[in-house]
């Protein structure tokens, strides 16, 4: 199997001013492409050659895990955004957020705090466990909640290449601005 990088469902400049076209070109165009190219090179001749990406993430380790997980994480991240998507969750997801975090605002604050507080590079995640409880977790480097048996719903990338062009070292500012482009219809569909 050969993995291909999907085209984004919006133009490079569609998420401005939250994420610039320049960041999209480097982050999705170069970083994500490198993860997919490396993944395709690393799976050749292995037991994972015909595996789904999620299976590789759950079972592989080392460079193969890192590239598979980073390829998956980035697609998950970029396909969460829309220049004109819904700005707040509704339905069952909204009820679960209010149940598990007290309010949507408290959830957003806790999510930004977890992302800003992650030392080094990685991801901040909103996931659902088997009982439907929502959890905010940090994933270092290529970390992914799939490895813990969780269902990922939302992630924000906290690697410097995700925000440095637009926000320099102001990670928390970047995280707070991402709420302006989250398409909650997409996140609800994952719930």
């Amino acid at each position: 199997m050969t993995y291909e990088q999907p085209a984004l469902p919006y133009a490079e400049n569609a998420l401005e001013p939250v994420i610039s076209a320049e960041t999209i070109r480097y982050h999705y165009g170069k970083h994500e492409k490198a993860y997919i190219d490396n993944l395709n090179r690393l799976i050749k001749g292995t037991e994972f050659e015909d595996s789904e990406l999620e299976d590789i993430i759950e079972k592989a380790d080392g460079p193969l895990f890192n590239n598979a997980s980073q390829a998956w994480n980035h697609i998950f991240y970029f396909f969460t955004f829309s220049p004109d998507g819904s700005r707040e969750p509704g339905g069952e997801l909204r009820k679960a957020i209010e149940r598990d975090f007290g309010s949507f605002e408290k959830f957003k604050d806790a999510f930004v705090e977890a992302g800003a507080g992650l030392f080094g590079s990685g991801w901040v995640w909103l996931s659902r466990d088997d009982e439907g409880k929502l959890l905010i977790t940090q994933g270092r480097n290529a970390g992914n909640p799939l490895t813990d048996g969780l269902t990922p719903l939302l992630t924000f990338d906290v690697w410097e290449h995700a925000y440095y062009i637009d926000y320099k070292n102001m990670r928390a500012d970047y995280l707070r601005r991402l709420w302006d482009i989250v398409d909650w219809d997409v996140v609800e569909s994952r719930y």
Side-chain angles (χ1 to χ4, degrees), residues 6 8 15 47-48 50 65 95-96 118 120 142 146-147 154 159 164 168-169 191:
L8 291 173
L15 303 179
E47 65 184 280
F48 299 107
D50 294 316
F65 165 79
K95 290 176 191 171
L118 178 65
L146 292 171
T147 61
L154 171 72
W159 284 71
Y164 207 82
K168 306 304 178 239
N169 66 337
Y191 180 71

Side-chain angles (χ1 to χ4, degrees), residues 71-178:
W72 192 96
N73 292 356
H74 280 87
I75 292 166
F76 195 83
Y77 167 78
F78 278 105
F79 280 73
T80 298
F81 302 131
S82 172
D84 51 22
S86 63
R87 298 295 180 239
E88 290 194 10
E92 294 303 312
L93 178 59
R94 178 67 175 237
K95 290 176 191 171
I97 287 172
E98 291 172 351
R99 177 195 68 216
D100 294 335
F101 301 103
S103 72
F104 181 56
E105 287 304 315
K106 287 179 182 176
F107 156 71
K108 290 194 315 184
D109 290 344
F111 198 80
V112 168
E113 184 179 327
L118 178 65
F119 182 77
S121 298
W123 303 84
V124 59
W125 296 91
L126 173 66
S127 301
R128 177 182 51 79
D129 71 11
D130 289 341
E131 278 104 47
K133 180 175 173 47
L134 299 180
L135 307 161
I136 296 172
T137 58
Q138 298 170 321
R140 298 195 185 289
N141 299 317
N144 184 305
L146 292 171
T147 61
D148 295 320
L150 299 173
T151 301
L153 305 175
L154 171 72
T155 193
F156 287 177
D157 187 340
V158 295
W159 284 71
E160 284 187 342
H161 64 248
Y163 59 88
Y164 207 82
I165 291 170
D166 300 326
Y167 298 90
K168 306 304 178 239
N169 66 337
M170 306 302 288
R171 183 190 283 183
D173 290 350
Y174 149 77
L175 292 168
R176 283 190 287 273
R177 289 297 309 277
L178 289 178

